[in-house]
Amino acid sequence: MIKSFFKRYAVYFQRFTGSYEMVKVQTIQQVTEYRRLNEQMRTSYPDNPALAGKKIYSQTDEDGIIEEIFNRIPNNKTFLEIGIQTGVECNTLFFATEGLEGNLGGREVRNTVR
């Protein structure tokens, strides 16, 4: 009850105290810095798999990075991920949905996600 109250009115409090604008500015600064670093890496290390990063189910860009690594090495495209918590936001869920075989936190996955 208390948590939902604070969640509902957090934006109003942030606007009242002026911290809402500060959060927006910090977010813009982070995105700008991320783009600058990405461009610097693209220039310095054009073959870096981190440049292929994209977020589908992972917390950040791991989905694209792991996909790029799988594309570069010859293997049978089998994965194993341990410690997936709820399984909603994990590094290999994307591959399970793409039909790869593997194991998510002790649960075997064969061409379908259960």
Side-chain angles (χ1 to χ4, degrees):
M1 177 187 226
I2 293 174
K3 186 177 179 181
S4 65
F5 171 80
F6 284 115
K7 220 174 183 180
R8 186 178 315 137
Y9 292 104
V11 173
Y12 299 115
F13 179 75
Q14 288 174 349
R15 286 186 176 150
F16 177 75
T17 61
S19 62
Y20 180 77
E21 295 301 320
M22 187 171 61
V23 169
K24 281 176 48 179
V25 168
Q26 287 174 339
T27 302
I28 291 169
Q29 288 173 337
Q30 288 171 348
V31 168
T32 303
E33 181 66 7
Y34 176 80
R35 288 181 180 155
R36 186 189 70 74
L37 290 172
N38 194 310
E39 189 57 40
Q40 181 181 354
M41 189 181 347
R42 191 174 306 282
T43 304
S44 302
Y45 309 100
D47 202 31
N48 191 324
L51 295 171
K54 63 182 174 188
K55 178 188 182 327
I56 299 172
Y57 296 106
S58 61
Q59 291 178 342
T60 54
D61 287 346
E62 294 97 336
D63 292 324
I65 295 168
I66 296 170
E67 182 179 36
E68 179 64 22
I69 291 169
F70 271 14
N71 288 337
R72 291 182 184 195
I73 58 175
N75 63 17
N76 60 2
K77 311 265 195 270
T78 301
F79 63 87
L80 167 66
E81 181 158 355
I82 299 171
I84 63 168
Q85 296 177 2
T86 62
V88 174
E89 194 174 60
C90 60
N91 294 333
T92 53
L93 183 58
F94 170 66
F95 302 111
T97 60
E98 292 294 308
L100 275 70
E101 294 184 5
N103 196 299
L104 284 170
R107 295 187 175 94
E108 189 172 336
V109 179
R110 292 196 184 272
N111 296 328
T112 59
V113 177
R114 297 183 179 114

